Amino acid sequence: SIQCRCNEPGANATPSPVTAEACATRRESRSNFNTLLTRTQLAIMGDIGKGAKIFKTKCSQCHTVEEGAGHKQGPNLHGLFGRTSGTVEGYSYSAANKKAGVLWAEDTLFDYLLAPKKYIKGTKMVFAGLKKEKDRNDLIAYLKDATA
C-alpha cells in the first residue's frame, strides 16, 4: 500500500493507505470530474437563482457554502464537487457516509438529492429529498456556482 492524498480535500490532508491502483483510479475520477459539466451547461439545465432560493429554504438551516464558514448540523459544502463523501475535516460524519465513498459530481448529487436516506443508507441527514428533477437541477446549478 502507498500513502495517497489524491482523494483528500486540502493540501494538509492526512494521507490514507491505499493500493497504487486505487490511487490511480482516484486521480482519474477527479480528472474526469473536471470535464463533466461547465457552469454554462448547468445554467442551461438549472436556474442558479431558483437554486439559491431552494438552498435558502431547504438546506441553509443545516449547511453553509462559503469558504471558511463553520459547520452546522450538516457540513460546510464549499468545495463539494470533486470531493468524496465523509471527508470534510472537522465534521462528524456517520459511519455510513464515510464508508459510502461517493465522489460528488452533478450525477451523484442529482441521484442523492432525490432521496438521501435511500442513496446512503444510515446517513444522519434528515432531509427527505427533492422529488422534482427541475428543483434538483436548479439546486445543483446553484451549488456548483456557490461552492466553487
Side-chain angles (χ1 to χ4, degrees), residues 6 9-10 25 31 66 84 86 94 97 112 124 135 137 139 142 145:
C6 63
T25 300
S31 174
E66 299 83 11
T84 302
S94 65
N97 202 297
Y112 177 76
K124 61 184 181 179
D135 288 348
N137 283 332
L139 180 58
Y142 167 73
D145 184 64

Side-chain angles (χ1 to χ4, degrees), residues 55-142:
F55 183 85
K56 185 176 180 181
T57 60
K58 304 220 180 243
C59 312
S60 66
Q61 304 89 312
C62 298
H63 295 282
T64 56
V65 293
E66 299 83 11
E67 184 174 14
H71 303 301
K72 291 184 174 182
Q73 183 174 349
N76 179 312
L77 300 177
H78 191 270
L80 174 66
F81 292 88
R83 183 168 72 206
T84 302
S85 64
T87 60
V88 172
E89 199 170 306
Y91 183 76
S92 177
Y93 287 95
S94 65
N97 202 297
K98 290 180 198 175
K99 185 179 175 185
V102 176
L103 181 63
W104 294 120
E106 292 86 354
D107 60 339
T108 53
L109 195 55
F110 184 84
D111 294 340
Y112 177 76
L113 288 171
L114 176 62
K117 288 185 175 285
K118 288 182 181 177
Y119 194 86
I120 299 179
K121 292 186 186 338
T123 185
K124 61 184 181 179
M125 185 159 146
V126 296
F127 181 60
L130 294 171
K131 304 307 176 213
K132 296 179 182 175
E133 287 186 16
K134 178 71 172 128
D135 288 348
R136 284 181 278 151
N137 283 332
D138 290 345
L139 180 58
I140 291 167
Y142 167 73

